[in-house]
Amino acid sequence: MLKRVLVLDDNQDILEMVHEALSYEQFEVKSIAESKQVLPLIESFHPDLVILDYRVAGENGGEICRQIKAHPKFNNMPVIIFSAYINHDDEIMAYGCDAVINKPFDLVELIKKVNDLIC
């Protein structure tokens, strides 16, 4: 069975690039651009891992991560946060995420982190 990944980013180019790369690596991927869709989609899609952009309209990815980690059904779900804020990994890790990927990022690094967390 394919591993499922949910990706949130309000940059359409990044969403498409990540979606394509993960699909190519045999993951089932759902990509969204709105933060308010994350929790309802976790309920319906049941991803094995969630990737959140730190800076999106509405809530930031850190707050969404905190909500996921506080949820009794989803608190073990790995979360990766994308961030363009170099050298702020400690602040972002404080939200409870499992990994931080700095933008601009290398797709090889992304695939490796995803595989490390769910395979």
Side-chain angles (χ1 to χ4, degrees), residues 4-23:
R4 294 174 165 195
V5 179
L6 177 61
V7 183
L8 165 73
D9 201 308
D10 53 8
N11 179 320
Q12 204 55 45
D13 293 338
I14 290 175
L15 257 192
E16 287 173 17
M17 182 178 64
V18 171
H19 188 107
E20 209 167 288
L22 290 172
S23 296

Side-chain angles (χ1 to χ4, degrees), residues 8-12 15 32-38 52-64 67 82 85 103:
L8 165 73
D9 201 308
D10 53 8
N11 179 320
Q12 204 55 45
L15 257 192
I32 56 173
E34 290 187 34
S35 58
K36 64 179 186 281
Q37 295 177 309
V38 173
L52 303 170
D53 183 21
Y54 183 69
R55 294 292 282 193
V56 286
E59 288 180 281
N60 77 39
E63 290 302 325
I64 298 166
Q67 290 172 25
F82 285 146
Y85 299 94
K103 288 180 174 180

Side-chain angles (χ1 to χ4, degrees), residues 1-113:
M1 194 158 121
L2 293 180
K3 295 282 188 180
R4 294 174 165 195
V5 179
L6 177 61
V7 183
L8 165 73
D9 201 308
D10 53 8
N11 179 320
Q12 204 55 45
D13 293 338
I14 290 175
L15 257 192
E16 287 173 17
M17 182 178 64
V18 171
H19 188 107
E20 209 167 288
L22 290 172
S23 296
Y24 181 79
E25 293 291 327
Q26 307 298 310
F27 291 100
E28 185 179 341
V29 186
K30 268 218 192 324
S31 301
I32 56 173
E34 290 187 34
S35 58
K36 64 179 186 281
Q37 295 177 309
V38 173
L39 292 168
L41 259 173
I42 288 175
E43 288 277 1
S44 61
F45 181 58
H46 301 288
D48 296 287
L49 178 132
V50 179
I51 300 174
L52 303 170
D53 183 21
Y54 183 69
R55 294 292 282 193
V56 286
E59 288 180 281
N60 77 39
E63 290 302 325
I64 298 166
C65 175
R66 195 172 270 155
Q67 290 172 25
I68 294 167
K69 294 299 189 177
H71 195 291
K73 270 181 22 200
F74 309 128
N75 58 2
N76 290 324
M77 186 179 297
V79 177
I80 296 173
I81 294 181
F82 285 146
S83 172
Y85 299 94
I86 308 299
N87 301 325
H88 289 282
D89 288 12
D90 292 347
E91 287 170 39
I92 294 169
M93 291 298 285
Y95 286 104
C97 64
D98 299 273
V100 176
I101 294 180
N102 290 310
K103 288 180 174 180
F105 56 88
D106 178 30
L107 284 172
V108 173
E109 175 197 8
L110 172 70
I111 302 296
K112 180 182 180 339
K113 284 197 177 174

